[in-house]
Amino acid sequence: MSPPVAPAGWSRWLVPPAALSVHLSIGQAYAWSVFKPPLESALGLSGTESALPFQLAIVMLGLSAAFGGTLVERNGPRWAMTVALVCFSSGFLISALGAAAEQYWLIVLGYGFVGGIGLGIGYISPVSTLIKWFPDRPGMATGIAIMGFGGGALIASPWSAQMLESFGSDSSGIALAFLVHGLSYAVFMTLGVLLVRVPRGTAGRGPSSSAVEGVQVSASRAVRTPQFWCLWVVLCMNVTAGIGILEKAAPMITDFFADTSTPVSVSAAAGFVALLSAANMAGRIGWSSTSDLIGRKNIYRVYLGVGALMYALIALIGDSSKPLFVLCALVILSFYGGGFATIPAYLKDLFGAYQVGAIHGRLLTAWSTAGVLGPLIVNWIADRQEDAGKHGSSLYTLSLFIMIGLLAVGFVANELVRPVHARHHHVPAQREAADVERQQPESAA
């Protein structure tokens, strides 16, 4: 499938909605928790077992993004979005079959493995295209799309809950909900497939400038540079710190104020989770756009340095004030989302736009690592502290200080980032010419 080239006069502002149609769909992954209790009840699963599809999906996201990044660059955004559509929707359809037949392994295979591949390919599918359309504002451009991944749960969570209420929370009701998800997301993602375009290869127009100008580093060379691994550490530490709160948000705020005169109700804890999702989404567009003004290294200084300060406030005096606790958590989650949205532009600054999608895909293995590391730290320490007879905020004090240490490691890694050495800049001339030539036959006709 050849990447469709925009005809003359095509508005670049049509590309972010195409990207959003994919990211808002695959952002459903953050709403998986809605299905956990019904699955546990209908299929007799433990909490650990019901979390397996989500965990496998996040692992496959990182792996498929890493291994498929070069294919995405080679075949273009329409191919990538089509693969994402087929895999993500098929994952739900396989899961629907598994729920109907009460075969949990099919749900793990469908949502976790097949759907997880759709997550990874879909996540990176518009990145390099957006950067090529918006070389003047790459942070804003990628932030618009990646904002959708953070906000997808705000749509999917109440929608899924309403379906389970209407269809029932038994195995047949879950199956029908999965079926509706799969078909609906297929239709919605098709809009992005049909709408996406790549800029024309001719020079002389701002957003359409050739993708092979300036500093350019291939994905295979990028992974050999210290800059890549410094950014890997930066992303991993920032995501570990954010996901540690996100995964444990409701019980954490409940435990922090359980021993006070104003404990947190279940509904209030759920509202807190919704606020965190909103902060996650807002940070993706707000902070990434800010990075276009103050620079990528500076914005990560804010994410990591101020984030550590927010964690310190929660650990030391968070249980004395609900507004303070909530405010600090919202800031941390905005940095969590902002870190995801800013990293593609940071990569473009260092390595150029030539294979930035493939480089981004390889970097997302840091997300897979953090997705395991963050919840493990918070949950394991909380369990050990509870076994030791502690309660309330004491369950989390140690893990909060560990998060501060991780953010400090990320801060140092960010400070070590320097321009890529000239020996890595070479891109084979034949490959450059081939990449540009492939786009030339595709025209307005």
Side-chain angles (χ1 to χ4, degrees), residues 174-265:
I174 296 171
L176 188 54
F178 282 154
L179 177 63
V180 172
H181 273 77
L183 297 177
S184 299
Y185 284 133
V187 172
F188 193 56
M189 293 171 77
T190 298
L191 298 177
V193 171
L194 297 176
L195 192 60
V196 72
R197 298 287 188 279
V198 295
R200 295 168 66 86
T202 53
R205 296 174 58 215
S208 303
S209 298
S210 173
V212 293
E213 294 177 356
V215 174
Q216 304 299 332
V217 182
S218 68
S220 61
R221 287 176 177 267
V223 296
R224 302 173 195 169
T225 66
Q227 288 84 355
F228 176 88
W229 293 105
C230 282
L231 289 189
W232 194 98
V233 172
V234 166
L235 182 63
C236 186
M237 297 302 100
N238 191 61
V239 174
T240 299
I243 208 168
I245 279 188
L246 186 62
E247 191 271 341
K248 194 78 170 175
M252 181 180 288
I253 192 171
T254 301
D255 290 335
F256 252 76
F257 299 97
D259 298 330
T260 68
S261 58
T262 55
V264 176
S265 66

Side-chain angles (χ1 to χ4, degrees), residues 268-295:
F272 174 62
V273 174
L275 281 175
L276 292 182
S277 296
N280 178 11
M281 181 175 66
R284 292 174 187 244
I285 181 62
W287 292 121
S288 61
S289 297
T290 303
S291 77
D292 289 332
L293 302 176
I294 68 173

Side-chain angles (χ1 to χ4, degrees), residues 380-391 394-396 398:
W380 187 84
I381 291 177
D383 290 343
R384 300 289 78 76
Q385 297 291 66
E386 188 174 9
D387 291 341
K390 295 185 179 180
H391 54 84
S394 299
L395 297 175
Y396 305 98
L398 178 58

Side-chain angles (χ1 to χ4, degrees), residues 18-19 22-23 26 65 68-69 72-73 76-85 118-130 145 189 196 198 357 360 364:
V22 173
H23 274 247
I26 63 177
V72 171
E73 288 291 316
R78 176 168 288 181
W79 175 88
M81 289 181 178
T82 301
V83 171
L85 184 161
L119 287 180
I121 300 299
Y123 191 87
I124 63 174
S125 62
V127 169
S128 63
T129 303
L130 284 165
M189 293 171 77
V196 72
V198 295
H360 183 220
L364 288 181

Side-chain angles (χ1 to χ4, degrees), residues 11-249:
S11 173
R12 63 177 178 169
W13 292 102
L14 293 174
V15 181
L20 269 175
S21 72
V22 173
H23 274 247
L24 281 171
S25 298
I26 63 177
Q28 184 280 335
Y30 278 149
W32 174 253
S33 60
V34 174
F35 288 103
K36 280 172 59 68
L39 284 170
E40 291 168 16
S41 176
L43 303 181
L45 304 173
S46 67
T48 301
E49 289 172 331
S50 67
L52 183 58
F54 172 77
Q55 291 175 314
L56 180 58
I58 295 300
V59 170
M60 291 308 301
L61 186 158
L63 293 178
S64 62
F67 289 105
T70 302
L71 289 175
V72 171
E73 288 291 316
R74 182 179 303 144
N75 296 314
R78 176 168 288 181
W79 175 88
M81 289 181 178
T82 301
V83 171
L85 184 161
V86 172
C87 291
F88 189 66
S89 296
S90 296
F92 270 112
L93 300 183
I94 295 171
S95 297
L97 178 62
E102 298 187 359
Q103 296 293 317
Y104 186 59
W105 69 272
L106 279 174
I107 299 177
V108 176
L109 173 67
Y111 190 91
F113 184 79
V114 178
I117 294 173
L119 287 180
I121 300 299
Y123 191 87
I124 63 174
S125 62
V127 169
S128 63
T129 303
L130 284 165
I131 286 176
K132 290 167 187 174
W133 274 112
F134 293 87
D136 51 334
R137 286 179 281 181
M140 179 211 69
T142 55
I144 290 174
I146 293 175
M147 173 186 69
F149 193 87
L154 293 179
I155 299 171
S157 184
W159 182 41
S160 300
Q162 181 60 49
M163 277 195 287
L164 290 171
E165 183 178 338
S166 300
F167 301 151
S169 57
D170 57 0
S171 58
S172 61
I174 296 171
L176 188 54
F178 282 154
L179 177 63
V180 172
H181 273 77
L183 297 177
S184 299
Y185 284 133
V187 172
F188 193 56
M189 293 171 77
T190 298
L191 298 177
V193 171
L194 297 176
L195 192 60
V196 72
R197 298 287 188 279
V198 295
R200 295 168 66 86
T202 53
R205 296 174 58 215
S208 303
S209 298
S210 173
V212 293
E213 294 177 356
V215 174
Q216 304 299 332
V217 182
S218 68
S220 61
R221 287 176 177 267
V223 296
R224 302 173 195 169
T225 66
Q227 288 84 355
F228 176 88
W229 293 105
C230 282
L231 289 189
W232 194 98
V233 172
V234 166
L235 182 63
C236 186
M237 297 302 100
N238 191 61
V239 174
T240 299
I243 208 168
I245 279 188
L246 186 62
E247 191 271 341
K248 194 78 170 175

